[in-house]
Amino acid sequence: MKQKFITRHSGNRRLILIFLGWGMTDAVLNSVERLDGYDIMAVWDYRDESFDAEIINSYREIFVFAWSFGVFMAARTLARNSSLPVALKVAINGTLNPVHDTLGIPSAIFHGTLAGLNERSLAKFYRRMCSDISQFNEFKGNYPERDIDGLKDELTAIERYAADGSPLDTSWHRVIIAADDRIFPPENMAKAWEHTPRTSKIAGGHLPQWQKILESEIINKKAVGEKFESSASTYDENAIVQNRIAATLWKLWRENMTSQPCSILEIGAGTGMLTREYAPVLTDADITTWDLTNAIRPLPTGKAVTGDAEELVYDALPDSFDTIVSASTFQWFNSLPMFLNNASRIMRRGGILAFSTFGHDNMKELSAITGSSLRYFSKQELCDMIPEGFEICEALEERITMYFNSPRDILVHLRDTGVNGVYTPSNNLARIMHEYPRHDEGCPLTYHPIYIIARKK
């Protein structure tokens, strides 16, 4: 294999690791822009399986994106390097069965491609990868320089690997299937991943729109912080549902509290909505708050730390807190399971983990129109993320519907609560105004909060 850093900054502790498809080089990623806080490495050329894990094992979190035959090769590579701190694995237009009549590329097509490979057939293959002539013209500007004999050797090697029965990492977090893929049959991919719950079908062909996929799968924490910072002065007045959620979370937390906590860590304190619920009651507790932005009104008490909780948790000392709480924040995390495992390390035995986040129906009216949404989990999925050594005391969910006079009022509401960048991309504004559902009560906006209370045994 070949490995190359596409972007690299000495201060970054997160890596995006991209396993490319057959016939590619890193040139296909030339148009990918730097993502704040992340290095990017490309992997390609699978004629051999050499992979240098040493050059990436210093990262705290690794986000794997694998495409086409790269899905299979990533699964082999990750199985051999299970100690790497992989926080996310996304499979794009590929399967764990690269040559298979019903779960991958049919054998006859694979062997026909190998037997007839020449410069002309390769050009036709590259054209078939692309969804339209515009994407193909862009691809030609980043054309991979590969020789035919080397490409034949790569196909032969992949077939050999597929037959040798080596272990694969099968625990993929998300799967993306392009509806118009003309390389991997979409119906085969759908069957191959039918037991993977977080599978989505998107428009397009085999070649991914890399920038769009990376931006949709990885939360840009800097942008999130800026959005909430800009809405700090209007948040409390407009975040009616979030205020209700904070009150409910405090009620559930209080009902499951067996003793007064000594040290509390609150994640995503924001304007202090949840803090103002519990701080007047738990007056003897040392309170620490973590938030992406410090552009908030003064909190009633405690030590406020500005930063990304997914990063800050690594630097916190073991057994630092006997309570960790968070309201309406975890939906902004890139790897909630990894964070919860890290949070377990810094919690004392007997301590309470109390949080609320949002479920699949959150703002479903907008998602149905725009196709844009955060990554939400079901109540059961959230329960399954709770680390070993915890007992779940409460797991509840509800749906809260607000009604507005018009779609425009909804957009103003989202702007004033800091989430308009996610749910209302500018190119969808006209569609929202035209297609948004209207009921007798007005235009609905659904919130779907989920509450989890767990105790560390």
Side-chain angles (χ1 to χ4, degrees):
M1 296 185 194
K2 291 183 171 60
Q3 297 168 249
K4 181 180 177 181
F5 282 99
I6 305 301
T7 63
R8 194 177 193 184
H9 187 276
S10 59
N12 289 341
R13 292 181 287 185
R14 290 168 169 162
L15 174 69
I16 297 171
L17 184 62
I18 301 177
F19 285 79
L20 296 170
W22 168 76
M24 296 296 110
T25 69
D26 61 302
V28 75
L29 299 176
N30 281 347
S31 61
V32 172
E33 300 173 5
R34 175 181 170 183
L35 275 71
D36 187 66
Y38 297 84
D39 290 340
I40 302 176
M41 171 180 276
V43 182
W44 73 96
D45 191 349
Y46 305 123
R47 286 177 289 180
D48 66 74
E49 292 193 274
S50 58
F51 181 83
D52 187 357
E54 291 296 316
I55 61 176
I56 63 172
N57 65 9
S58 62
Y59 287 96
R60 283 182 169 174
E61 295 178 344
I62 297 176
F63 299 79
V64 175
F65 291 80
W67 166 46
S68 193
F69 282 161
V71 174
F72 171 69
M73 296 307 299
R76 288 173 68 91
T77 303
L78 296 176
R80 296 196 306 270
N81 296 277
S82 58
S83 63
L84 287 173
V86 176
L88 178 69
K89 287 170 283 188
V90 181
I92 308 163
N93 294 340
T95 74
L96 301 178
N97 304 89
V99 186
H100 196 285
D101 287 344
T102 60
L103 302 176
I105 292 181
S107 178
I109 294 175
F110 178 90
H111 290 106
T113 301
L114 177 58
L117 191 62
N118 54 40
E119 294 290 351
R120 183 178 178 182
S121 65
L122 179 62
K124 290 177 66 175
F125 173 84
Y126 286 154
R127 176 64 184 88
R128 285 176 60 81
M129 284 195 325
C130 301
S131 57
D132 53 37
I133 192 63
S134 175
Q135 189 183 39
F136 182 56
N137 287 334
E138 181 181 349
F139 173 76
K140 287 193 295 184
N142 301 307
Y143 206 82
E145 298 294 333
R146 298 287 302 273
D147 66 273
I148 296 299
D149 287 341
L151 292 176
K152 288 183 177 180
D153 291 343
E154 187 177 4
L155 283 178
T156 301
I158 289 171
E159 184 179 31
R160 184 174 69 251
Y161 303 148
D164 71 11
S166 293
L168 300 177
D169 185 334
T170 59
S171 58
W172 289 77
H173 299 107
R174 288 194 289 283
V175 175
I176 298 173
I177 299 172
D180 300 317
D181 195 320
R182 294 188 290 168
I183 304 300
F184 263 86
E187 61 274 17
N188 285 13
M189 289 190 283
K191 185 174 180 61
W193 296 109
E194 63 182 348
H195 298 300
T196 303
R198 304 189 72 78
T199 299
S200 59
K201 183 172 284 189
I202 63 171
H206 187 65
L207 179 64
Q209 298 182 39
W210 282 110
Q211 192 69 35
K212 183 177 181 180
I213 285 177
L214 294 179
E215 290 179 353
S216 66
E217 295 294 331
I218 292 180
I219 301 292
N220 184 334
K221 300 295 185 72
K222 181 180 179 181
V224 171
E226 289 173 349
K227 289 289 184 183
F228 281 107
E229 185 173 330
S230 66
S231 69
S233 63
T234 58
Y235 186 82
D236 282 358
E237 180 182 352
N238 292 276
I240 299 167
V241 171
Q242 288 85 345
N243 190 42
R244 171 174 161 178
I245 290 169
T248 301
L249 181 63
W250 165 232
K251 176 179 178 292
L252 294 172
W253 168 21
R254 187 174 66 247
E255 289 173 350
N256 286 278
M257 194 183 297
T258 56
S259 62
Q260 292 277 316
C262 297
S263 57
I264 299 169
L265 171 63
E266 183 181 346
I267 309 295
T271 60
M273 230 173 227
L274 177 60
T275 325
R276 288 190 292 272
E277 293 283 342
Y278 66 81
V281 179
L282 306 179
T283 53
D284 293 332
D286 291 326
I287 299 172
T288 300
T289 60
W290 291 352
D291 198 272
L292 282 173
T293 176
N294 60 5
I296 57 177
R297 62 194 60 181
L299 299 177
T301 186
K303 174 186 175 184
V305 178
T306 301
D308 180 353
E310 289 187 274
E311 286 276 358
L312 293 172
V313 70
Y314 286 98
D315 298 320
L317 295 175
D319 303 321
S320 297
F321 304 98
D322 52 28
T323 302
I324 296 180
V325 298
S326 179
S328 306
T329 296
F330 285 169
Q331 67 275 8
W332 299 108
F333 280 27
N334 279 312
S335 180
L336 183 53
M338 181 169 281
F339 173 79
L340 292 175
N341 281 324
N342 288 328
S344 174
R345 178 185 64 84
I346 67 173
M347 283 189 67
R348 298 171 190 150
R349 293 179 64 181
I352 283 183
L353 170 67
F355 68 88
S356 69
T357 185
F358 294 100
H360 296 298
D361 284 345
N362 202 58
M363 300 192 184
K364 62 183 180 179
E365 298 86 358
L366 281 166
S367 299
I369 298 171
T370 67
S372 298
S373 174
L374 294 174
R375 295 186 302 272
Y376 296 121
F377 299 98
S378 68
K379 183 178 70 173
Q380 185 58 54
E381 286 173 319
L382 291 168
C383 289
D384 291 343
M385 290 179 196
I386 302 302
E388 289 186 14
F390 280 77
E391 60 175 340
I392 296 175
C393 307
E394 301 275 4
L396 304 173
E397 63 185 319
E398 60 178 333
R399 288 164 178 82
I400 305 168
T401 302
M402 296 181 68
Y403 289 94
F404 296 82
N405 291 329
S406 70
R408 187 176 301 279
D409 290 337
I410 290 175
L411 299 183
V412 171
H413 168 75
L414 296 178
R415 181 199 65 197
D416 290 342
T417 54
V419 299
N420 56 311
V422 173
Y423 291 98
T424 59
S426 58
N427 60 340
N428 282 309
L429 293 180
R431 287 188 59 201
I432 293 171
M433 300 301 291
H434 178 68
E435 299 178 19
Y436 204 91
R438 291 165 170 82
H439 299 166
D440 291 342
E441 304 95 323
C443 295
L445 183 65
T446 300
Y447 285 89
H448 181 190
I450 300 174
Y451 309 89
I452 304 291
I453 312 293
R455 180 178 288 106
K456 187 174 182 180
K457 294 184 282 189

